[in-house]
Amino acid sequence: RILLALSVFVSLANAQCTERELDRERAEDWKIHGCRSCKSMQVEFEGNCPQRGYDCDEALEMRTNVLGTDSCECSQLRCKDGNASLAIGGELFIRATCVDKEWSTLTKTVVESGICARKCDKGICRTHPDDYFNNNPIYIPFVVNPPDLEHSCPWGTCSSGAIASDSTWELTYSRGVEFSCAGDRRWQDTNGNRYDLIACMQKECEPLVFDEPATFCGDFIPAKHTCYKPQYVDGDSGVKTMTCDHSNALRYSSNDTVVALPICSHGQWTSNGDEIDDDTKGIP
Ligand SMILES: *[C@@H]1O[C@H](CO)[C@@H](O)[C@H](O)[C@H]1NC(C)=O
Ligand SMILES: *[C@@H]1O[C@H](CO)[C@@H](O)[C@H](O)[C@H]1NC(C)=O
């Protein structure tokens, strides 16, 4: 009988112990797994990227990690790129932490989406030193504007075309091209192509004044020529040229001689290297 009583007592104690053990495990499960089982964060630009001074890039990866192997550390989420911060609701964070299966930050208990952002402040992207323009007089400096309503990063435009360069190659852009500073410290065009440095082409040539002297055009009978305005068209690489519908029709109005191969160079019309005065006419 004593034995029986003892065995009942033992099994009661066992049951209590098991119940306590389960409680402890439940609490631990929740603590550990509730803060280790966050899913990957949704990447979203809208509503997360700070308005100015940061380049947010959907291609930048986020990475989760658990610090400590056997402790009950919670999962953390960071941007993989060491120079990128996590942008959430326009604010920047080093990390988000997993709490109750939800990502959270110091200011937000449930984070639904975020994006990785890198600085694109003034000075992040390089510009040519002054020397470059002394050595390459066909270019002028690319003027960098601060961020504004339409540009979250510093930006600039080249009204007459640009030369974009990398360590190994250069590319010419036609006029009106715009570049903005990207988080990888390079200049990007509106299609996302990136370059180390940008220089602008010299300014464009103005159309010449159309001159129609009576000695060559018009009023005398018979008229020597019928005169009309030349066209100003974009040639290769954004270089402007001046053309007429008829060959050899473009002439100086002062002496009726043909203007050969006119091109715009450094804001000045030239013909075979000589500057052209602003009195020309087209004569068929
Ligand atoms: C972070 O920025 C520094 C310069 O500030 C640069 O040297 C480094 O390569 C960058 N790291 C990454 C991962 O891009
Ligand atoms: C004709 O006039 C232009 C400028 O008006 C001058 O540059 C050019 O040399 C002249 N050509 C001749 C053959 O006189």
Side-chain angles (χ1 to χ4, degrees):
R1 195 177 291 169
I2 288 173
L3 257 179
L4 191 68
L6 206 69
S7 106
V8 167
F9 177 75
V10 167
S11 74
L12 264 176
N14 259 347
Q16 267 177 6
C17 195
T18 311
E19 200 50 43
R20 229 181 302 136
E21 175 69 11
L22 282 176
D23 274 351
R24 194 184 63 76
E25 282 178 4
R26 272 190 208 105
E28 192 178 278
D29 261 12
W30 184 246
K31 193 172 174 191
I32 293 175
H33 298 134
C35 82
R36 280 192 178 181
S37 52
C38 287
K39 298 203 177 70
S40 59
M41 189 182 286
Q42 195 179 326
V43 175
E44 207 161 295
F45 184 97
E46 218 41 59
N48 288 314
C49 192
Q51 290 201 323
R52 286 177 204 185
Y54 287 88
D55 177 26
C56 298
D57 191 340
E58 288 167 9
L60 289 177
E61 279 177 59
M62 293 180 192
R63 170 181 272 178
T64 57
N65 60 332
V66 176
L67 303 175
T69 46
D70 53 4
S71 66
C72 62
E73 290 276 1
C74 296
S75 306
Q76 296 188 347
L77 181 102
R78 295 164 184 263
C79 292
K80 192 174 163 191
D81 185 312
N83 290 335
S85 308
L86 203 52
I88 295 164
E91 285 186 277
L92 294 166
F93 301 92
I94 294 168
R95 68 179 85 86
T97 311
C98 186
V99 177
D100 291 352
K101 301 185 183 173
E102 301 279 5
W103 290 115
S104 66
T105 62
L106 288 176
T107 57
K108 222 175 177 183
T109 45
V110 177
V111 172
E112 266 146 31
S113 65
I115 194 164
C116 291
R118 290 181 296 195
K119 268 195 175 156
C120 61
D121 292 359
K122 194 161 186 278
I124 291 275
C125 290
R126 289 193 296 141
T127 51
H128 282 291
D130 291 348
D131 249 18
Y132 178 84
F133 300 100
N134 297 334
N135 300 331
N136 298 275
I138 61 165
Y139 303 125
I140 54 173
F142 171 65
V143 177
V144 181
N145 304 304
D148 56 30
L149 282 178
E150 273 116 56
H151 306 87
S152 54
C153 296
W155 66 284
T157 180
C158 289
S159 60
S160 317
I163 181 98
S165 58
D166 230 309
S167 50
T168 49
W169 54 295
E170 294 187 330
L171 194 72
T172 307
Y173 277 83
S174 52
R175 59 215 169 89
V177 63
E178 196 176 293
F179 295 94
S180 62
C181 180
D184 60 358
R185 313 178 81 89
R186 283 150 59 87
W187 294 104
Q188 69 175 346
D189 68 14
T190 46
N191 294 322
N193 301 307
R194 297 187 183 191
Y195 305 94
D196 291 336
L197 290 159
I198 307 293
C200 291
M201 306 286 191
Q202 287 279 4
K203 72 174 170 47
E204 282 180 46
C205 298
E206 295 297 320
L208 299 179
V209 172
F210 179 61
D211 186 24
E212 221 174 350
T215 39
F216 307 129
C217 314
D219 298 345
F220 289 113
I221 296 177
K224 198 172 175 195
H225 303 293
T226 307
C227 299
Y228 58 92
K229 284 185 182 177
Q231 290 115 46
Y232 297 90
V233 295
D234 285 332
D236 297 338
S237 321
V239 175
K240 252 195 167 127
T241 65
M242 207 183 335
T243 64
C244 295
D245 290 343
H246 305 80
S247 58
N248 292 334
L250 187 71
R251 299 183 180 223
Y252 292 107
S253 61
S254 55
N255 55 21
D256 200 12
T257 57
V258 172
V259 182
L261 305 169
I263 60 158
C264 174
S265 169
H266 317 174
Q268 168 68 51
W269 288 108
T270 65
S271 167
N272 290 329
D274 294 329
E275 293 188 0
I276 300 177
D277 297 340
D278 65 348
D279 54 347
T280 52
K281 63 177 186 283
I283 309 172

